[in-house]
Amino acid sequence: MEKLISNFNQVQSLPEKYIFPLEKRPGKLPVPACKFVPIIDIDETAGENRAVIAQKILKASQEFGFFQVINHGVPEDLMKDTMRIFKEFFELPTEDKAIFYVENSRSNKNCKLYPSSIINATEDVHLWRDNLKLNCHPLEKCILDWPEKPTRYRQVVGSYATEVTKLVPRILELICVGLGLESGYFEDKLGEVTSLSVNHYPPCPDPSLALGLTKHCDPNLITILLQDDICGLQIFKDNEWIGVEPVPNAFVVNIGYQLQILSNNKLKSVEHRAVTNSRTTRTSAAFFFNPRDGIMIEPAKALINASNPPVFRAFRYQEFLRSYMTKNGNNDNALEQFKLQA
Ligand code: OGA
Ligand code: NI
């Protein structure tokens, strides 16, 4: 059997190792795409003023842990080009992709291809997804390890990485305003180590039995997701899964665990997953922004008072990541060991 799902030749039925246990299956599909996840215009020069935008972001981050941004300044053509090039990469012949296989000796640490990843050692179910992970910092160095095919890959994805890296401090600053923190509060918290995770979900013979990505919260500060025009991303809200509607030229933004902790639970990191469909390949690219190396993460002092005592202790992100990784897809208790005793 081929390693990559994108190399499979027209599988008629879902191979057994992709079938999830009954209680974890996505259940009845399709889940209707919802229009509730707020779509926020963040162009302060042409639209609403900063305070209004900040409040919208804050409300969405509290209620959904997710919002979409439009008029964000990243050129639309670049977003389309980037999506196209990611798709082209997965359509390449096997040998062009195999050099990046994670276990391959020529694979390098700045570009790794994970074939239909195993979720954990005890539960041998595979995700219906191929996944390419790219490191993006420092860009000039990392880019040399990225794919050379398709030929424009490095140029396009490099420009994309540069643009999204400029967008993130703007969104964090709006969150800062919304929370009432001093301007620049997140500036020195944001690290330079960013990574891009490209998810490729080919058509699945039975989407009701498989998952592209199991439920999880992102461990980092904030994630900027580029999704194509096909439904697949779902968030868990009020005890049910709801679909996040694809909006042309928008980014989906979600709050990672570190922002939940820094905001002392004011902002929520919300569980999400990706389901598959039987008709079309869906591609998404998650840009993960992590805290700066070595800094202590703890609830912002300005948000703490007698009626809002700190919920979490101080720790370093590396400690958090180690604990998150060992939970291996079961993140239900990811925050527990970082909570202060009530
Ligand atoms: C992720 C993620 C969602 C998607 O990569 O962390 O949640 O729609 N992706 O692919
Ligand atoms: Ni995620």
Side-chain angles (χ1 to χ4, degrees), residues 129 197 199 201 213 216 218 223 225 227 232-233 272-274 282 284 286 288:
R129 160 186 95 150
S197 174
N199 302 302
Y201 311 101
L213 201 46
H216 67 283
D218 296 352
T223 303
L225 183 86
Q227 61 166 347
L233 173 62
H272 52 285
R273 67 180 186 185
R282 174 172 180 267
S284 72
F288 299 121

Side-chain angles (χ1 to χ4, degrees), residues 86-126:
F86 286 147
K87 286 183 184 289
E88 281 171 21
F89 173 80
F90 284 100
E91 284 158 11
L92 289 173
T94 308
E95 59 272 22
D96 291 329
K97 292 179 283 195
I99 51 174
F100 298 107
Y101 283 167
V102 64
E103 74 277 16
N104 193 306
S105 57
R106 278 184 60 202
S107 88
N108 61 63
K109 76 176 179 37
N110 293 319
C111 181
K112 290 183 193 158
L113 182 53
Y114 296 83
S116 65
S117 355
I118 297 168
I119 299 162
N120 67 41
T122 50
E123 190 179 18
D124 190 22
V125 187
H126 287 42

Side-chain angles (χ1 to χ4, degrees), residues 257-258 260-261 297 299 311-328 330-342:
Y257 274 139
Q258 305 314 303
Q260 174 168 344
I261 293 165
I297 303 284
V311 180
F312 303 98
R313 64 178 171 86
F315 58 88
R316 283 182 218 280
Y317 185 53
Q318 289 314 316
E319 185 195 346
F320 187 93
L321 263 194
R322 269 197 302 276
S323 139
Y324 179 90
M325 299 297 187
T326 56
K327 302 232 161 37
N328 257 338
N330 173 9
N331 303 324
D332 291 345
N333 301 319
L335 294 177
E336 279 314 308
Q337 73 183 90
F338 300 93
K339 283 189 178 157
L340 291 164
Q341 303 304 328

